[in-house]
Amino acid sequence: MNLVYAREMQALDRYTIEEFGVPGLVLMENAGRGTAELILEYFRPSLSQGALIICGPGNNGGDGFVIARHLAQKGFPVKVFCLAPFEKFKGDALVNLQIIKKMEIPLFLVNNDISVLKQEIKASGLIVDAIFGTGLEREVKGHFAAAIEAINQSEKPVVAVDIPSGLSADLGRPLGIAVKASLTATMALPKVGQVIYPGRHYVGELKIVDISMPKRVIAELAPPRFLLNESWAANHLKPRGPDSHKGTYGHVAVLAGSSGKTGAAILTCLGALRGGAGLVTLICPKSLNHIFETTLTEAMTFPLEEETDIQSLSYQAFDKIISFCRDKKAVAIGPGFGIHRETFELVHRLVAHLDIPAVIDADAITALAGEVFHLRRAQAPRILTPHPGELARLLDISKEKIQENRLEIARLAAKETESIVVLKGAATVVASPDGREAVNYSGNPGLATGGTGDVLTGLITALLAQGYEPFIAASLGVYLHGLSADILAKRKGPFGFVAKEVAETLPNAIKEIMVRKNLGQF
Ligand SMILES: NC(=O)C1=CN([C@@H]2O[C@H](COP(=O)(O)OP(=O)(O)OC[C@H]3O[C@@H](n4cnc5c(N)ncnc54)[C@H](O)[C@@H]3O)[C@@H](O)[C@H]2O)[C@H](O)CC1
Ligand SMILES: [K+]
């Protein structure tokens, strides 16, 4: 499903109206009716106490008038409060205002004094927030802000029309203050600001309302930005043919592990195995080989002599690694690999010369700080999987700056490194140098435990080895990894599950998506 900014949504609206001739009034009718249907589906018990619809001066308010009409038609008590003078309304919103006036639906005007509105909020069963949508253009102040505050203090179920009022559809944060919704009924496509943090906290459950925007409009005009949710995953996860074998699913090489960090290598191998790789071999320092041979059953090892004083591989192993990887499908480099100068030298050479797709993580990203040009010499696709701190070091910018503009910075990093960048964290983002990007919708804070990143690295490498093109491999890996954690959170608890369990639950995540796929739910 495409993910849009406000201006992109407005362009899609305009194209639908001007090129396809779908009148704006029809779009508004579909928006309002679809939202009313969601209200009936999810909040019917609350409606008996009355729905309070609070409308702003634009078309978001217009949607509110349509919702009021449909709920009134069904016999529910409805009251409409306008936060702007009636004469301010124009176009489709005015048409719908006039209709509800003729229907004598109780209509009230709020200027600066919101005392009546506050009482009505308290007396109502459900609040419909139709104050601002994608037309929000500045900080919310005055009686608009007071109304939003009253809504948030009411502890009533709140349905946000299109987007919680006050939340920026682009920035994903409140402009002053924003409605905290129980459910957001968004028109046609999800907005970026609804699926990144802190915006996601204000949205509640996100539901898409089909306003009959022709699919061709979206296919032709929507940007290559996607929400990684279950339907996206079901659309991209490939089933296995009965006549397949280990070779079909590729041999993954893992370059990871050093003294004290053997677990990172083991978890990467586990992630690759549970991610469906046909075979996995860990290229490791000879002195640690016995540890891996004891712990890894399904994965093989390829021990190498040359080591540093922290028992990590050094550039002297370069030739042997290159020849070993010649017939491999994909390689993971970095987890627990060691931060020794000679190991960094090895990373620089491998990143530039390995001619198979590679996932570069952890210490290998650290090795590339200030040395990004090695990535631009790469002879095969590269996927970087930094957490914010690693990306901060790689790009030499502050972690705060990254966290405030995650999608934009990931986009910049992808261009800068000519690699796919997976910027991990709450709502992981994936950006490709070719302009494609995605925001992940799965996962939870239980993932904040050591080693989960190593599992993700192995998983993405396994998907590369199975033939997924790099952007899809990265995005599918991110989604399945988060879904595995969501399954664990439901099954075990919000946190306390460990990285190894995230790997072990990947088959359950894959099964969940396959079931959806077989049911055609994508
Ligand atoms: N997406 C679709 O296909 C459809 C969306 N619809 C709805 O239309 C709104 C967008 O409507 P628009 O008139 O552009 O803007 P808003 O209603 O969001 O309100 C903007 C309105 O308010 C003024 N304003 C903006 N910021 C502030 C502020 N901080 N304080 C005071 N006033 C502010 C601004 O000047 C405008 O007048 C979309 O979200 C959907 O809900 C269509 O109904 C159906 C098709
Ligand atoms: K709204």
Side-chain angles (χ1 to χ4, degrees), residues 257-258 260-271 273-274 280 282 284-285 287-301 500 504:
S258 60
K261 296 185 181 172
T262 53
I266 292 162
L267 287 165
T268 305
C269 294
L270 263 183
L273 287 162
R274 294 285 184 181
V280 177
L282 172 63
C284 63
S287 60
L288 301 173
N289 187 44
H290 63 288
I291 295 170
F292 296 122
E293 294 262 31
T294 317
T295 324
L296 289 169
T297 310
E298 295 84 359
M300 298 167 279
T301 67
K500 193 174 178 191
E504 285 161 358

Side-chain angles (χ1 to χ4, degrees), residues 11-287:
L12 290 167
D13 280 355
R14 260 196 319 278
Y15 193 73
T16 301
I17 295 166
E18 291 160 12
E19 292 302 310
F20 280 74
V22 182
L25 208 51
V26 168
L27 294 176
M28 185 172 282
E29 188 65 25
N30 292 335
R33 183 179 189 129
T35 304
E37 283 163 2
L38 283 170
I39 290 170
L40 290 165
E41 183 183 350
Y42 288 90
F43 298 100
R44 185 181 284 267
S46 310
L47 284 174
S48 49
Q49 204 184 324
L52 182 66
I53 293 140
I54 306 173
C55 297
N59 283 337
N60 195 244
D63 292 353
F65 297 141
V66 177
I67 295 164
R69 171 161 39 91
H70 283 283
L71 294 179
Q73 285 287 96
K74 299 253 183 227
F76 294 106
V78 166
K79 287 181 181 172
V80 177
F81 274 72
C82 280
L83 301 187
F86 298 147
E87 55 276 10
K88 266 220 65 161
F89 289 92
K90 54 187 189 308
D92 302 336
L94 179 59
V95 169
N96 279 293
L97 174 59
Q98 286 159 343
I99 294 170
I100 64 167
K101 274 183 178 171
K102 290 212 181 66
M103 291 172 69
E104 294 178 350
I105 289 174
L107 183 61
F108 304 84
L109 178 61
V110 176
N111 286 316
N112 294 323
D113 174 9
I114 68 158
S115 52
V116 173
L117 175 62
K118 272 183 167 175
Q119 283 161 12
E120 290 298 341
I121 286 174
K122 280 201 187 76
S124 70
L126 168 84
I127 296 166
V128 176
D129 155 32
I131 305 170
F132 299 126
T134 52
L136 181 74
E137 52 204 14
R138 57 187 181 277
E139 189 170 337
V140 180
K141 292 197 175 95
H143 69 294
F144 294 106
I148 291 173
E149 196 173 2
I151 292 169
N152 288 344
Q153 286 167 355
S154 70
E155 289 174 11
K156 300 280 180 182
V158 179
V159 172
V161 178
D162 203 23
I163 191 160
S165 297
L167 179 66
S168 162
D170 298 351
L171 301 173
R173 55 175 176 263
L175 297 189
I177 186 171
V179 165
K180 235 162 128 23
S182 323
L183 179 144
T184 295
T186 201
M187 310 313 164
L189 292 172
K191 285 56 178 193
V192 171
Q194 293 173 330
V195 298
I196 59 177
Y197 288 97
R200 198 166 157 182
H201 290 311
Y202 292 85
V203 167
E205 178 134 16
L206 180 61
K207 293 289 177 191
I208 310 292
V209 174
D210 177 0
I211 57 171
S212 78
M213 179 176 280
K215 285 197 184 313
R216 239 184 68 205
V217 171
I218 295 170
E220 287 174 12
L221 269 189
R225 182 180 317 110
F226 308 97
L227 180 63
L228 303 181
N229 60 10
E230 63 277 9
S231 57
W232 181 91
N235 209 6
H236 289 88
L237 189 63
K238 291 183 283 194
R240 291 197 162 187
D243 58 349
S244 53
H245 51 85
K246 281 197 298 294
T248 317
Y249 304 110
H251 191 155
V252 161
V254 174
L255 277 155
S258 60
S259 173
K261 296 185 181 172
T262 53
I266 292 162
L267 287 165
T268 305
C269 294
L270 263 183
L273 287 162
R274 294 285 184 181
L279 289 170
V280 177
T281 298
L282 172 63
I283 304 170
C284 63
K286 191 173 178 61
S287 60

